[in-house]
Each structure stands twice: as C-alpha cells, then as structure tokens.
Amino acid sequence: MEQTTPMHTDDPSLVAAFEARIAAGESIEPKDWMPERYRKQLTRMMSQHAHSEIVGMLPEGNWITRAPSLRRKMSLIAKVQDEAGHGLYIYCGTETLGVDRHELVQQLLDGRAKYSSIFNYPTLSWADMGVIGWLVDGAAIVNQTVLAKASYGPYARAMIRICKEENFHKRQGLEICATLASGTPAQKAMVQDAVNRFWWPALMMFGPSDTDSPNSAELLKWRVKRKTNDELRQRFINLTVPQAQAMGLTLPDPDLIFNETTKDWEFGEIDWSEFFEVIKGNGPCNHERLAARRDAHANGAWVRDAAVAYAAKHDARATAAA
Ligand code: BYC
C-alpha cells in the first residue's frame, strides 16, 4: 500500500505488516507505508546527521589556510568538500520523508535542532586535523557502517557511499598523526595534546549510555539502529587503542585496561555532565558554530535568489516554446 502524506493514527494491522517487513529484513522505501513515529524518528536522526556534516566543516575549514604543505592543503580542502556533499545527500534523503530541507536548515539556524556534540570543541593546532580524521571520522565509520544496514533504504544507501569517503578521511588523519608522532619532540607533544583534548569528546559522539538513551529502543525495534550506543562505543575503543599504541600515543584514560576474557578494552567514566551541557548548547564553541552558519546562510542569500530567478527564467522560456 502506498501513502505519501503522513498518517496521524496508525492502523494496527498496517503497523503489524510494516513490522513483519522489517523482521524479514526488507528495505523500507519512501512511498511505502510507515508508522508516523518511524517517519519522525528518521527525520530527527537524519536531519541531525546532515546538520553535523555541515557544521562539521567549520572546525577543519579553520585550518585550510594554515595547512603545512600544498599536499596537506589539497587533501583537507577535499575532505571538507566531501562533508558538504555528505550533508547534501542526507538532506536529500530526509526530503524523501516528506520534509522540506529549508525547514530543517531553519531549525538548525534557530538553535532548535541538534548536531553532533564533537563539533563544539575548538581546533587549536594543526595536529587537531590529524586527530579529527583519525578519531572523529573513525568514530563516524564505526557508527555509519552499521547505519548502512538501516531499514530505511535512502539512508542506508547514503551511508554506503559516505563510508567509502570517510575511509579516506580517516586515513589522511591517521597519516597526519603518525607523521607528527614520529617527528620532533614538539610535533609529538602537539599530537599528544590533540589526542588528550579529543579522546573523551570522540567517545561522546556515540550518544548517552544505553540506560540514558530514550530513542534507542524504538530505533532498534525498527532496525534503524542495529547496535546500541554502548556497543558501538566499545567497538570503536577496541579498534582505536591498538592504533594509538602503534603510533606511540597515550590515550588520556588511566583506567583503560584490556580484559582477557571479554577481549574488550575497559575504560573509565565518561563525564556525562559535560556531554549534556554541550548538547544543550553550552559547549566551548556552540555559539561560534551557529553564528558562522547563520552568517554563511545570510551571505548565500544572493546565490539562492539567483538559482530561483534562473529556474523561473528557464520555466518561462520552456512555456513560451511549448
Ligand atoms: N551529539 O536517545 P539517544 C561526521 C542526542 S558527522 C549531539 O541515544 P539516538 C563527520 C540525541 O539526538 C557524525 N546530540 O539518541 C562530519 C537525542 O536528542 P533528541 C554525525 C546527541 O538518536 C564532519 C538525545 O541526545 N553522525 O561523522 O538514539 C567531519 C538522546 O540520545 C549526541 C550521526 O549523526 C551527540 N553525540 O542516538 C567529520 C549519525 N548523541 O533528538 C565527521 C546518526 C545523542 O531526542 N545518528 N544525542 O533531542 C546516530 O547514530 C544517533 O542519532 C546517535 C544518537 C547515536 C548520535
């Protein structure tokens, strides 16, 4: 059965049929019937994800003019451009749920929408570019590889493409980190300082612990999420600790210890009060990030106007020719 307008009261038999499709591993496509909560949850999650990609361009954009070589500058520009592209794919994906991207962007600019906590921290040194690629894109890959199997087709397909690009991002970050870590004492100290500042915020990217994650149960039931926040965080830590060891870098957690039985790296307490402050808008750079987005949006008004004028002219010509 097809439906393009949202339903406010879900018919239980339709919900049962929908859940049977999910249980059978089928992909849900834009014109398929879906419970209103499923549509809402996906809109929330996908739009936050798109906003994260766009806001995520800012901390790295800050270093494009100061990259230490032409090669580093070219790869950083390409990475930041990729992030714009990821934002656009995901905004397009969100529009398949019947929402207008202008409304979503407005929610971001008004401060009503969330975006990833990680982008509210400052980028103070060149080493931060390496650590963002290694840890932030590394965390994103762990999260998004699983989202590539999400039940909603347009989101899952966007994730497949995005993860391919994120792999390059992670490798360029790792290469910067490895180079600095084997460089002069000052370079090694710079990358260690960046790791010290980004390690805990990177762990917070996976969201609150499972006991404090109000959306997880529904998202897991509908196979949007396939793993919990804590499961993915643990996977990321298990993958990352050996990489830090290989580069001779220390992770700033005195409680990090390998458990021979579970084969997991056990870790210390995350400062959840910091996380909740950041997502409430009180992180170190929340105001700066939103101000930069608002400026960019205002400065881009002429481009949007020109595109609308061009489309109108094109339509008028097509009508006259018909
Ligand atoms: N930051 O019930 P929960 C990138 C919110 S971009 C801010 O567990 P859920 C990259 C959450 O939204 C990476 N807010 O939520 C780009 C919820 O609030 P609301 C972005 C967070 O949805 C450029 C509340 O806390 N990736 O890779 O089940 C350069 C309770 O949480 C955060 C995505 O967006 C956070 N870290 O799980 C480099 C991936 N965590 O909405 C790299 C897609 C939680 O109820 N999203 N909150 O008011 C997801 O996988 C899930 O939405 C999350 C959260 C795991 C993030």
Side-chain angles (χ1 to χ4, degrees), residues 41 44-45 48-49 52-53 56-57 60 79 83 114-119 132 136-137 140 143-144 147 155 166 204-208 212-216 219 225 229 275-276 279:
Q41 278 284 26
R44 176 191 67 83
M45 189 166 151
Q48 287 180 6
H49 191 164
S52 304
E53 297 283 356
M57 296 165 74
E60 290 169 295
K79 180 179 191 294
E83 283 151 11
K114 290 194 171 71
Y115 57 87
S116 184
S117 49
I118 191 74
F119 302 118
I132 287 181
V136 175
D137 288 86
N143 170 272
Q144 291 168 190
L147 288 176
Y155 195 28
E166 300 283 29
M204 294 174 195
M205 285 176 71
F206 294 93
D212 281 324
S213 167
N215 298 295
S216 277
L219 291 171
K225 277 183 169 181
N229 297 357
F275 169 78
F276 286 112
I279 70 169

Side-chain angles (χ1 to χ4, degrees), residues 251-263:
L251 296 171
D253 179 356
D255 296 328
L256 207 53
I257 184 166
F258 190 66
N259 181 324
E260 287 293 347
T261 314
T262 60
K263 305 289 177 208

